[in-house]
Amino acid sequence: MVQLLFNGLDRIRGWNVDSTTAFVMVGIYAFVLTLLLVRARRNFLALPELAVRPAQATPPDCMVVIPARNEAGFIGRAVKSLPPDSVIVVDDHSTDTTVAEAAAAGAGVLRSPKLTKGVFGKPYACMTGARVITSKWILFADADTWYEPGILESAIHAAEVNDLSFLSIHLALETEGLAERAVAPLLQALFFASLHPRERPEGVFYGQCVLVRRTAHEFIGGFGAGLTFLVDDVKLALLADRHRMRFGTARTSTLGHARSHRGWEGLNEGVRRNAYRFVLIPGQHSVMLLATAMVLALWLPFAILLILTGWVPLAIGIAVLPVLLLFPWYGMAGVALAPAAPYIAIPILFNALFGVLTTTHVDWKDREV
């Protein structure tokens, strides 16, 4: 096998690639990759930025529901980042210190009823919390999110100005550890490479932070209507659209933060779960996502080919291109990891695709779903 590899490399070294061919090859690849990743960034920026409104002395008429299962070490930060006495944590049968941590942080704590067959834990917990709330607005927030002062005022202002009953907010991505720093920003870029907010608004409606008008939420059945859907956020948007209720999506780079995937295991579980999002959305969006990842991964074999045929400067250019195009997603601190990211992400993506196609189980929060 090793001998075959060296024989192949020797043959490549013997190729005579003229300047026209080399520059055309590089130009085509650079154009396609740039088109795909610039499109992803434009899709992301098509989400309106949430206008910052100052926190008021009297909090708005809004309560926060946080479903939580084994969120010790995270739930306290989420609760403390929100206005006092505004948070209800619904414990989804945690086996760690989630309940004690949430209560110590100042949240009211409810215990979610025992799950029945075919029902998923998160929407069930959200439904449980919403049933005890009488405020005008409800913010559903994940336990691994945290916020800055003014988040409720800003979200409600955006919903009221745009006459929305449902508003999903994409929060600033936060990462810890090598696996997250390398892969999570690329996964975000690939997500927006496959979905445009105006073309598929239900597809980008993301459940980590969702503001709802309580009466509208109750009218359509809310999370109670999505108990059997793994991607309950997409189902909520589809229900709103079916009932002719306005929903929208925004982003914020300052008012909220989210650590969507925790380590290698979290990346695998999160991608497999979110792969089911594309089952509910018509179109070839999953194909676009995978194609973008595969094109991006071609930089390395392409650069090796150029080096072996004597075009070292062009090879350096091809190697630098992913760094430049992915810089907005990674920032200065993590962009050096960008070239290696597709080789880590692609196995995760294909594993998720296999799971969807074969309808195998998904492990989520230490529970098979």
Side-chain angles (χ1 to χ4, degrees):
M1 181 65 71
V2 175
Q3 186 62 44
L4 288 174
L5 176 61
F6 279 110
N7 289 340
L9 292 176
D10 287 336
R11 291 193 186 97
I12 293 174
R13 288 191 189 97
W15 291 356
N16 182 21
V17 179
D18 60 68
S19 59
T20 301
T21 302
F23 278 98
V24 168
M25 290 170 57
V26 170
I28 292 174
Y29 177 73
F31 175 77
V32 172
L33 183 59
T34 300
L35 186 67
L36 291 171
L37 292 182
V38 168
R39 179 180 183 272
R41 194 64 186 174
R42 290 182 64 183
N43 287 351
F44 174 73
L45 295 177
L47 294 175
E49 178 78 17
L50 202 63
V52 177
R53 307 284 291 185
Q56 303 296 314
T58 302
D61 189 13
C62 179
M63 291 292 290
V64 182
V65 173
I66 302 180
R69 176 175 171 81
N70 295 333
E71 297 289 355
F74 300 94
I75 190 66
R77 176 177 59 183
V79 173
K80 291 177 181 178
S81 69
L82 292 158
D85 302 319
S86 67
V87 182
I88 294 177
V89 170
V90 183
D91 175 52
D92 184 17
H93 305 275
S94 297
T95 56
D96 60 8
T97 59
T98 293
V99 171
E101 187 176 323
V109 180
L110 295 177
R111 186 170 178 83
S112 183
K114 184 178 179 180
L115 291 181
T116 57
K117 186 177 181 180
V119 170
F120 294 114
K122 180 182 176 181
Y124 200 31
C126 288
M127 180 189 71
T128 300
R131 283 179 171 174
V132 302
I133 288 178
T134 58
S135 58
K136 181 179 180 180
W137 296 94
I138 305 174
L139 183 77
F140 294 97
D142 283 358
D144 50 9
T145 64
W146 66 101
Y147 303 90
E148 305 298 334
I151 179 62
L152 297 183
E153 289 84 354
S154 302
I156 292 171
H157 174 76
E160 290 180 339
V161 165
N162 294 285
D163 192 26
L164 301 176
S165 295
F166 304 85
L167 175 64
S168 168
I169 304 170
H170 285 252
L171 307 176
L173 178 65
E174 304 290 343
T175 57
E176 294 182 16
L178 186 61
E180 292 176 46
R181 291 191 177 102
V183 183
L186 176 61
L187 292 176
Q188 187 182 41
L190 294 175
F191 178 85
F192 283 99
S194 63
L195 291 168
H196 191 289
R198 287 190 291 272
E199 295 172 2
R200 287 297 174 195
E202 71 279 14
V204 298
F205 195 90
Y206 202 54
Q208 65 184 191
C209 179
V210 175
L211 178 73
V212 305
R213 196 182 299 269
R214 181 181 58 82
T215 53
H217 182 261
E218 291 176 352
F219 180 80
I220 68 171
F223 283 98
L227 294 179
T228 59
F229 289 84
L230 189 58
V231 280
D232 48 83
D233 43 10
V234 176
K235 181 62 176 178
L236 186 64
L238 291 172
L239 283 170
D241 185 60
R242 183 184 303 171
H243 288 86
R244 302 293 190 271
M245 293 184 176
R246 289 176 58 85
F247 69 93
T249 307
R251 58 185 171 88
T252 180
S253 56
T254 58
L255 289 170
H257 315 269
R259 187 182 173 196
S260 300
H261 307 288
R262 300 178 199 165
W264 181 253
E265 183 178 353
L267 287 165
N268 277 281
E269 288 184 354
V271 172
R272 288 197 66 183
R273 177 180 180 272
N274 278 293
Y276 287 86
R277 173 180 303 270
F278 296 99
V279 175
L280 295 179
I281 306 169
Q284 302 300 314
H285 305 290
S286 58
V287 175
M288 177 61 73
L289 188 153
L290 290 169
T292 303
M294 296 296 288
V295 171
L296 179 59
L298 288 176
W299 78 265
L300 181 57
F302 201 5
I304 292 173
L305 174 63
L306 289 168
I307 291 172
L308 293 176
T309 53
W311 293 97
V312 176
L314 289 179
I316 294 173
I318 286 296
V320 170
L321 186 60
V323 174
L324 297 176
L325 292 174
L326 290 172
F327 180 82
W329 303 97
Y330 281 84
M332 186 63 71
V335 74
L337 300 170
Y343 303 102
I344 305 172
I346 286 173
I348 298 175
L349 293 171
F350 274 99
N351 180 57
L353 177 62
F354 178 78
V356 171
L357 294 177
T358 58
T359 62
T360 57
H361 74 275
V362 177
D363 291 321
W364 186 252
K365 302 294 184 183
D366 303 316
R367 177 192 286 153
E368 183 176 310
V369 296

